[in-house]
Amino acid sequence: MAGEGKKPLYRELLLLAFLLSVISAASSLISEQSWRAGGVTLLWPTNGFLMGYLLCAPRRRWPAYLAIGFLVDLGVNLLLGESWASPYLALCNMVEVGLAVALMYRSISSPPDLTQRKQLTALILYGMVVAPAVASGLAALTSLLFAHHSSPYLRHQFLLFRTWYLADALGAATVTPLYWSYRFRVGYNSRSWGERIGLFLLVIAATLLVFLQSRVPLLFLLLPVLLLLGVRLGLAASALGLLMVSVIGGLLTTWGHGPAMLIQNSTLAFRDLSLQIFIAIAMLLLYIAEVVTSESTRLQLSLKASESRFRLLAESSRDIIVMLGLHGERLYVSPAITEVLGWQPQEILAETFRDRVHPEDAQKLTQLLEDCAAGKPTRPLAYRSRTKGGEYHWLETNPRLYHDPLTGEPAGIVSILRDVAERKTAEEELARAFRMVQNLASIDGLTSIANRRLFDETLEREWRRAVRDGRQLSLVLLDVDHFKLYNDLYGHLSGDDCLRQIAESIRNVVTRAADLAARYGGEEFALILPNTDRNGALKICNEILAAVRKRSIVHNANPHAVVTVSAGCVTCIARDDSSYRIALEAADAALYRAKALGRNRVEVAHSADGSCGDPTSPQLPPSNAVSS
């Protein structure tokens, strides 16, 4: 239990021999008068002192210390006249000490703390019950080894057992804690010297008051005084107080004073026994009260430390810690809310979580907290909470249900609110960038309208929708007339500008959100016109042709002297067994026919049954054509 001693072994042995001799001599002198009057040893401190000493020393030195104890005890017994039994009695004492320390070794800490329930239990069980009982039983065999087993001798051995046992048990109960207090410099709590001296004087005065008179049984008055001493100064003071009561009370009882004299026709030995029983009961009460008080104090300190740690974490964290009741009422809000949202904690404690949440997020947060209160698994939720300035700030929470430690029932919700405004801003920027990339992948870089990829994806999607809804779908293909000659005559840069102006003319005409205008390839453009009949599609085509002519883009290689476009149009009622490719082929055939008929015109694909036109099917007269 303890580390190596700093002194050489021989000096330790000499010091121990001296201390044991002094303690044994003092105890013998105090007990001498009681023995002469027919009394018993009220308290024998030597074994208790040696127990405490060994438990503070290295185990390898125990045999040497026990040998010194044996020699000192043998000398004391010889001086007391126990010549024939002295070695055996000394051996019994060493058996008691050795057994006690062997049993207590693993339970007693360094330094010892008898306010710990486990350590006090070890001292009482092994040092005050088991070891003294074994040693007393062995000592009681001294005369039985040499005498007949008659009744008087058996009674004598029982008295010897009782006397030995009680004296050694009380010695261990008082002297062992006192030695540990001295060895490890454990003071009497944090009290002034004036209070310490005053309390010990009070114990002495109360003991004298109780034992100097024999008319009134005032023994009970010592208990509150000893309890006060223990509460104010601690367990070591209780042990010293009990030792004072034992010495003073024992001497006065031997001299014929004290409450024990009220016991009629009693011997001194019986009166000593009654005093021993009182000291044992007082000792148990004092030590148990000290353990309970210390455990309560440690619990309070632990709770305060836990609360301090919680407050330190809560007040130092940049995350907002919120404790909610099961119905959403706020019970605690950490100071971080001031830094994040501008509110003081007390400003929002009386409110529920819904009072400052964005209306669009309130239902989601309500459902999350209800799921948490019901014990369902939850996932993090980002929501907007109103700041003191009136703006909304993004927070993220992942609440957890906590339970009452005593009943195990749900007691509330702990929610950690994390400031995710920067993250949300970054996410929005990323989303915008993603949309921009998507747009770049879907927009023609020259004309800034949809490219062929987006046209194909949209046409496939709209075709499926037209099949599902049974609605008409119109397609238009447009081509710039004589565009190769335009490039040859004016150059490719002018050609690019020409395409941009045509795309702008198309955008100005095709304005419905459902419609799509795209660059189909080279100088070709295409339109997707969902839910548009033949007349509507023809109208749009004519407006586009007019808008392009109105721009008056000079084109000397064109018979009209300006840039013009030709268009092929088809209107379909899509069916499950049809394909949008048929519609594209029909529109392309109509465009080819428009060019063959002189350009700058619209040709519409026709079919007899109203389905998509077939380029090989008979055509109606081009009454809808726009001619030059």
Side-chain angles (χ1 to χ4, degrees):
M1 184 182 91
E4 294 284 347
K6 294 182 179 180
K7 299 178 181 179
L9 179 58
Y10 75 91
R11 296 184 62 183
E12 285 282 342
L13 296 176
L14 290 175
L15 177 62
L16 179 60
F18 173 76
L19 293 174
L20 289 174
S21 300
V22 170
I23 294 172
S24 298
S27 301
S28 300
L29 290 175
I30 293 174
S31 301
E32 181 68 25
Q33 296 188 38
S34 178
W35 295 337
R36 290 178 180 178
V40 298
T41 302
L42 193 67
L43 181 148
W44 189 253
T46 309
N47 289 358
F49 175 83
L50 191 54
M51 286 179 197
Y53 196 95
L54 261 65
L55 285 170
C56 297
R59 293 183 70 182
R60 69 171 185 273
R61 292 189 175 185
W62 285 6
Y65 294 154
L66 287 172
I68 291 296
F70 174 81
L71 293 175
V72 172
D73 198 80
L74 177 62
V76 171
N77 286 333
L78 289 173
L79 291 174
L80 293 176
E82 300 285 349
S83 57
W84 62 274
S86 293
Y88 181 74
L89 295 177
L91 181 62
C92 290
N93 277 325
M94 295 308 103
V95 168
E96 176 184 334
V97 174
L99 180 61
V101 297
L103 294 174
M104 286 191 290
Y105 179 76
R106 295 190 181 278
S107 300
I108 303 298
S109 64
S110 179
D113 183 6
L114 295 180
T115 63
Q116 298 283 348
R117 187 176 306 187
K118 180 181 178 181
Q119 298 188 47
L120 179 61
T121 301
L123 176 63
I124 294 175
L125 179 60
Y126 303 132
M128 298 167 55
V129 177
V130 175
V134 171
S136 301
L138 293 175
L141 297 175
T142 51
S143 58
L144 286 177
L145 295 173
F146 308 100
H148 297 291
H149 293 203
S150 58
S151 178
Y153 285 106
L154 289 174
R155 184 174 181 277
H156 173 74
Q157 302 311 316
F158 173 74
L159 292 175
L160 179 60
F161 173 86
R162 185 187 69 187
T163 302
W164 183 301
Y165 173 77
L166 289 174
D168 283 9
L170 293 178
T174 54
V175 178
T176 302
L178 283 176
Y179 173 75
W180 284 339
S181 174
Y182 164 78
R183 177 65 180 265
F184 294 101
R185 303 293 190 269
V186 180
Y188 301 122
N189 293 345
S190 301
R191 306 298 176 188
S192 65
W193 278 104
E195 182 176 0
R196 299 176 192 178
I197 294 172
L199 287 171
F200 283 116
L201 289 176
L202 178 62
V203 172
I204 295 172
T207 305
L208 291 173
L209 175 65
V210 169
F211 285 95
L212 282 176
Q213 56 84 37
S214 305
R215 296 185 303 275
V216 183
L218 298 177
L219 198 60
F220 66 91
L221 289 179
L222 291 175
L223 282 177
V225 176
L226 290 171
L227 283 171
L228 176 63
L229 180 69
V231 169
R232 299 296 294 174
L233 300 184
L235 189 141
S238 297
L240 183 56
L242 284 171
L243 185 60
M244 289 178 174
V245 171
S246 301
V247 174
I248 297 172
L251 289 173
L252 291 176
T253 299
T254 301
W255 295 338
H257 301 286
M261 298 302 296
L262 295 174
I263 304 175
Q264 299 296 325
N265 302 320
S266 60
T267 63
L268 179 58
F270 187 79
R271 292 195 295 272
D272 286 343
L273 174 62
S274 64
L275 181 58
Q276 286 176 320
I277 292 174
F278 168 76
I279 293 173
I281 294 174
M283 179 271 299
L284 287 174
L285 290 175
L286 289 173
Y287 288 2
I288 291 173
E290 177 64 22
V291 169
V292 172
T293 302
S294 297
E295 286 182 348
S296 176
T297 301
R298 282 193 291 267
L299 179 60
Q300 292 178 6
L301 291 175
S302 177
L303 290 174
K304 288 182 179 179
S306 297
E307 182 180 359
S308 298
R309 286 194 296 270
F310 171 78
R311 289 195 174 275
L312 176 64
L313 292 173
E315 293 175 5
S316 302
S317 174
R318 298 192 64 182
D319 294 337
I320 305 169
I321 301 174
V322 181
M323 295 184 66
L324 303 170
L326 293 176
H327 301 292
E329 66 277 13
R330 292 189 179 103
L331 305 177
Y332 171 81
V333 180
S334 67
I337 195 170
T338 304
E339 179 182 351
V340 178
L341 298 178
W343 303 103
Q344 294 296 325
Q346 60 270 19
E347 289 182 291
I348 58 174
L349 275 178
E351 302 175 346
T352 66
F353 67 90
R354 301 177 186 85
D355 296 330
R356 302 188 188 276
V357 177
H358 194 284
E360 295 178 3
D361 302 330
Q363 183 56 41
K364 292 184 289 185
L365 185 58
T366 300
Q367 187 62 50
L368 179 70
L369 294 178
E370 288 178 354
D371 289 346
C372 182
K376 299 178 181 178
T378 59
R379 300 183 65 181
L381 171 69
Y383 70 96
R384 288 159 290 181
S385 183
R386 184 159 51 86
T387 67
K388 195 166 186 178
E391 300 174 347
Y392 282 97
H393 198 80
W394 280 101
L395 301 175
E396 183 181 77
T397 182
N398 191 8
R400 288 290 183 270
L401 185 66
Y402 69 91
H403 297 77
D404 189 293
L406 298 178
T407 64
E409 295 295 322
I413 297 172
V414 175
S415 182
I416 308 297
L417 308 183
R418 180 159 296 169
D419 183 356
V420 294
E422 292 184 1
R423 192 190 78 190
K424 292 296 290 186
T425 301
E427 288 176 355
E428 290 173 359
E429 291 292 337
L430 185 61
R432 278 197 293 269
F434 180 73
R435 288 194 297 270
M436 184 179 297
V437 171
Q438 275 191 320
N439 289 337
L440 290 175
S442 303
I443 300 299
D444 179 66
L446 178 64
T447 61
S448 299
I449 61 175
N451 61 13
R452 175 66 180 271
R453 175 185 174 185
L454 181 57
F455 173 82
D456 291 340
E457 292 174 354
T458 304
L459 178 56
E460 184 176 2
R461 183 176 64 250
E462 292 297 337
W463 186 267
R464 289 196 302 268
R465 181 177 296 154
V467 170
R468 184 180 67 246
D469 297 341
R471 294 182 177 181
Q472 292 180 320
L473 176 68
S474 293
L475 296 179
V476 177
L477 292 180
L478 300 108
D479 185 78
V480 183
D481 296 332
H482 304 294
F483 188 70
K484 184 178 182 304
L485 296 176
Y486 186 90
N487 273 336
D488 294 340
L489 186 60
Y490 299 103
H492 289 283
L493 292 179
S494 296
D496 290 345
D497 183 63
C498 174
L499 292 177
R500 280 193 288 268
Q501 293 192 56
I502 293 173
E504 185 177 354
S505 299
I506 294 173
R507 273 202 309 268
N508 291 338
V509 174
V510 181
T511 57
R512 289 194 316 175
D515 298 340
L516 178 73
R519 186 181 179 191
Y520 195 66
E523 69 273 18
E524 282 191 295
F525 296 86
L527 308 179
I528 301 174
L529 307 173
N531 198 23
T532 302
D533 61 13
R534 174 178 173 277
N535 292 331
L538 182 60
K539 180 176 181 294
I540 290 174
C541 290
N542 286 324
E543 289 179 357
I544 291 174
L545 266 62
V548 171
R549 288 196 305 271
K550 190 176 181 180
R551 286 187 174 266
S552 301
I553 304 172
V554 177
H555 187 356
N556 291 327
N558 189 316
H560 302 283
V562 294
V563 172
T564 60
V565 295
S566 300
C569 175
V570 63
T571 299
C572 305
I573 297 178
R575 298 191 301 263
D576 289 336
D577 60 349
S578 60
S579 169
Y580 66 86
R581 297 184 182 280
I582 297 176
L584 278 175
E585 291 173 358
D588 188 60
L591 174 61
Y592 180 79
R593 191 166 54 254
K595 285 182 169 292
L597 293 175
R599 294 183 172 86
N600 189 26
R601 60 187 291 121
V602 179
E603 286 295 325
V604 178
H606 298 278
S607 64
D609 59 0
S611 62
C612 286
D614 185 343
T616 62
S617 63
Q619 302 297 317
L620 294 176
S623 58
N624 60 324
V626 179
S627 59
S628 55

